[in-house]
Amino acid sequence: MAETARHSEPRYGNRPTMKDVAARAGVGLKTVSRVVNSEPGVTPDTERRVQEAIEALGFRRNDSARVLRKGRTASIGLVLEDLADPFYGPLSRAVEEVARAHGALLINGSSAEDPEREQELVLALCARRVDGLIVIPAGDDHRYLEPEIRAGVATVFVDRPAGLIDADTVLCDSFGGAREGVAHLIAHGHRRIGFIGDQPHIHTATERLRGYRAALADAGTEAGDAWVSLGPTDPARVRAAAERMLSGPEPVTAIFAGNNRVTVTVVRVLAELERRVALVGFDDIELADLLGITVVSQDAAAAGRTAAEHLFRRLDGAGHAPARVELPTRLVPRGSGELPPA
C-alpha cells in the first residue's frame, strides 16, 4: 500500500521553492535568497547548509521572475524559414554564440515559409517577453510588429528585408552574387543558361533572377521564357523544370540554381541523364567540394553574427536610424561551372 501511494505521487510540476530550501536548512527565506544570489551577509557554515539543501532538493533559481523585476528577460527570439535548411544551421549557431556572450538565451522556431505562422511565432515570442527578435521573414507586411517595436522589442531582419516598416536589416548580396555566377558561365562560352529559383514573392529569389538577367544583358543577350522557372523548391517541381530546359531542339547548356535545395535536385537530374551540362549553384551544399560543384557562397554565420550584434547594440541603447547591411558573396569554382558547352 505504501509502495502504491509512493508511486501515485505526481512526478512533474512540483519544483522545490526557496521556502522548501529554507525549511530543510533551518534558515529564513532572506538567507536563502542571499545564498542563491551570491550576496554577502551569510556565514560559511550557514551557506554550506543552504547549498546542501539546494543540492538535495534539486532547487533551481526562478530566473524568469528575477529578470522581469529588472525589466529584461535575458532572452531573444529567432524565427527562421526552416530549421532543417542547411543555410540556417550556421546562422542560428552564430546568433546563439553572440546571445551567449551577452548572457542571453536564444529561443527559435520555423515559419515554414508561411506568413501567418511567422506572425503567430513572432507574437508568441513577444508575449513571452523576449528582449529582441531576429526574423527571416516569410511575409511582406510586418506592420503587426510596430506596437512591439514601440514597446521596446529590438528587431532585426535577416536574409530578406521587412515589409512596410523600417527596421535593421542584414542581407547577403543576392543580386551581385547571381550576376557573378552567371557571368562566370558566360565567360566559359555559355549563352543558353537556365535559371531555376524559389517562389517569386521571396526577396532573394527575385534578386537572384535580377542578377541572372543583368549578366545576360551585359553579354548582349536575354533569357528566353523557357529558360526561367520560379516556384516551390520541392524536388518534383525542380526536376520537371530542369528536364524541360534540358530537352527540345535547343536545350540549355548550363543551369544557374537559385538556392541550395535547387542545386541538390539539379545535381541528381544531371547525374541520371549523364549530360555534360555546366552548373553553378547559389549557396554552398554539403560535399560540393568532393562533387566539384561550383557555387556562389554566402556566409550564413556572418549574417547571423552581424544581425545578433546589431540586435544587442539596440538593446544597449543605440538610437541611430535603422541600418541596412549587405554582406558580399564569393564565387567558388570547383569544376561544374567551368565546363564548356557540349
Side-chain angles (χ1 to χ4, degrees):
M1 186 71 176
E3 185 73 12
T4 302
R6 183 169 64 84
H7 284 293
S8 67
E9 292 176 359
R11 296 176 59 197
Y12 307 110
N14 293 318
R15 289 182 176 274
T17 65
M18 282 205 295
K19 186 176 180 180
D20 298 324
V21 174
R24 186 179 183 97
V27 298
L29 277 174
K30 183 61 177 175
T31 300
V32 175
S33 177
R34 283 175 176 157
V35 172
V36 166
N37 294 298
S38 302
E39 296 173 358
V42 183
T43 66
D45 181 63
T46 300
E47 182 177 359
R48 176 186 55 77
R49 296 205 322 272
V50 171
Q51 291 290 5
E52 287 175 352
I54 287 171
E55 185 175 343
L57 293 170
F59 171 80
R60 294 291 181 271
R61 182 176 65 186
N62 185 349
D63 277 344
S64 60
R66 179 171 173 264
V67 295
L68 281 171
R69 285 195 299 270
K70 295 185 175 184
R72 292 270 287 269
T73 62
S75 63
I76 64 170
L78 172 62
V79 177
L80 303 165
E81 176 201 342
D82 182 358
L83 286 169
D85 188 320
F87 175 75
Y88 294 120
L91 187 152
S92 177
R93 177 64 182 270
V95 172
E96 185 174 20
E97 289 300 316
V98 174
R100 185 167 178 261
H102 285 81
L105 178 70
L106 176 67
I107 307 168
N108 57 28
S110 299
S111 69
E113 205 63 71
D114 180 346
E116 289 186 7
R117 183 166 170 178
E118 172 212 302
Q119 181 172 340
E120 179 184 311
L121 270 171
V122 166
L123 294 180
L125 288 166
C126 290
R128 283 159 178 75
R129 304 289 294 275
V130 293
D131 298 322
L133 290 165
I134 296 175
V135 181
I136 290 88
D140 55 9
D141 185 349
H142 293 93
R143 287 175 294 182
Y144 71 85
L145 258 172
E146 287 180 332
E148 308 299 334
I149 293 172
R150 284 197 300 270
V153 180
T155 306
V156 178
F157 289 80
V158 187
D159 194 42
R160 309 164 188 174
L164 305 181
I165 66 170
D166 291 326
D168 289 321
T169 305
V170 177
L171 307 173
C172 292
D173 185 8
S174 286
F175 169 78
R179 189 176 193 173
E180 182 180 17
V182 175
H184 185 74
L185 291 167
I186 292 170
H188 285 82
H190 297 277
R191 291 299 181 272
R192 296 199 306 274
I193 302 169
F195 176 89
I196 305 177
D198 211 330
Q199 301 185 75
H201 70 271
I202 297 174
H203 171 80
T204 49
T206 57
E207 283 296 285
R208 291 168 196 174
L209 176 59
R210 194 167 69 87
Y212 160 82
R213 293 192 187 280
L216 291 178
D218 292 341
T221 187
E222 60 182 32
D225 291 340
W227 298 357
V228 175
S229 178
L230 297 179
T233 57
D234 62 272
R237 200 283 300 183
V238 174
R239 173 178 290 277
E243 289 174 348
R244 185 182 67 252
M245 291 178 187
L246 293 167
S247 63
E250 287 192 321
V252 299
T253 62
I255 292 177
F256 184 80
N259 66 28
N260 51 8
R261 287 165 290 186
V262 173
T263 302
V264 169
T265 300
V266 172
V267 167
R268 289 194 171 114
V269 171
L270 296 180
E272 292 168 9
L273 295 177
E274 298 182 350
R275 294 279 295 277
R276 186 178 172 82
V277 176
L279 171 65
V280 174
F282 204 111
D283 287 339
D284 219 337
I285 60 172
E286 191 174 3
L287 301 181
D289 53 340
L290 296 179
L291 295 171
I293 307 301
T294 297
V295 300
V296 175
S297 177
Q298 53 181 343
D299 193 337
R305 185 168 54 253
T306 303
E309 288 169 350
H310 268 73
L311 186 74
F312 281 99
R313 280 198 289 273
R314 288 292 187 195
L315 290 173
D316 288 339
H320 55 78
R324 181 184 175 108
V325 177
E326 192 163 73
L327 302 176
T329 58
R330 181 171 61 94
L331 180 71
V332 185
R334 295 191 180 118
S336 71
E338 294 70 58
L339 295 173

